[in-house]
Amino acid sequence: MAIREILKMGDARLMRQAQPISSFNTPELIQGIADMKDTMLAAHGAGLAAPQIGWDVQLVMFGTGQVISRYPDAPPIPFTVLINPTITPLSDEEQNDWEGCLSVPGLRAVVPRWQRIRYTGFDELGHAIDRVAEGFHAKVVQHECDHLMGILYPQRVKDFSKFGFNSILFPELAPEKSA
Ligand code: NI
């Protein structure tokens, strides 16, 4: 168990195309996942991608243990480890909603994402994952998988009038979960 440093935007290790994982259930993989989970929980994150701790593999994790205040109607997302993911949009419909990132602390922006997706991949034991997700769940998965392509959410912003500091944009709200 170890809380790792979360790399911040500008670090070249966040801009790499992450490498696929070929061996499952190895001690290195299980240890890395345990460290990531400790790091995500300590940072109150809704998700974390391996590149954010400098680990150059196609692995993300996400999950919300409770309802998010900004999305009171969104069902909690089960804690999930997703390896070598693929995402397929299931319609042309987009959602535009606020997003933050643990690698871009203190800031938030409205980012367009697919509303409804199918995502596939593997868990840490190599078992296949194949799910349909929409809304907040779909948004978190797209955000995390972007990290594996070296993309941070500011690169997805279309309307820069909706990009700023949490404390200015939402002074009345407690800090929201970032990913
Ligand atoms: Ni992020």
Side-chain angles (χ1 to χ4, degrees):
M1 299 239 315
I3 295 172
R4 304 276 294 270
E5 179 192 3
I6 297 177
L7 305 181
K8 294 193 180 71
M9 183 169 65
D11 192 304
R13 290 170 289 177
L14 288 170
M15 302 174 196
R16 295 184 291 202
Q17 297 278 334
Q19 300 301 307
I21 286 175
S22 53
S23 299
F24 296 89
N25 200 21
T26 63
E28 180 195 19
L29 185 64
I30 300 303
Q31 182 62 53
I33 290 169
D35 287 358
M36 276 182 65
K37 189 170 185 181
D38 290 344
T39 304
M40 183 179 98
L41 293 177
H44 304 291
L48 190 69
Q52 290 181 277
I53 62 164
W55 191 14
D56 187 25
V57 294
Q58 292 181 17
L59 186 153
V60 301
M61 61 176 54
F62 46 85
T64 53
Q66 58 196 20
V67 172
I68 311 276
S69 60
R70 186 165 293 282
Y71 304 89
D73 299 326
I77 304 170
F79 177 77
T80 301
V81 172
L82 182 64
I83 292 169
N84 300 347
T86 67
I87 293 177
T88 310
L90 294 180
S91 81
D92 291 335
E93 190 185 350
E94 288 186 343
Q95 51 178 329
N96 283 281
D97 226 325
W98 293 97
E99 233 169 85
C101 180
L102 296 171
S103 294
V104 192
L107 292 163
R108 195 151 291 256
V110 169
V111 181
R113 300 285 186 188
W114 301 114
Q115 168 66 26
R116 195 159 182 272
I117 62 169
R118 176 187 179 199
Y119 65 90
T120 66
F122 300 91
D123 71 10
E124 64 271 31
L125 302 178
H127 298 138
I129 293 172
D130 187 341
R131 291 181 187 159
V132 170
E134 58 186 14
F136 183 72
H137 186 165
K139 182 178 82 154
V140 170
V141 173
Q142 289 169 83
H143 175 113
E144 296 311 329
C145 291
D146 261 2
H147 278 293
L148 304 183
M149 297 182 286
I151 296 171
L152 300 178
Y153 81 79
Q155 294 164 254
R156 299 280 193 195
V157 172
K158 297 254 173 66
D159 178 357
F160 283 90
S161 73
K162 296 193 173 71
F163 187 14
F165 289 93
N166 272 326
S167 56
I168 306 299
L169 289 163
F170 305 109
E172 74 286 7
L173 290 179
E176 286 289 327
K177 287 195 169 187
S178 296

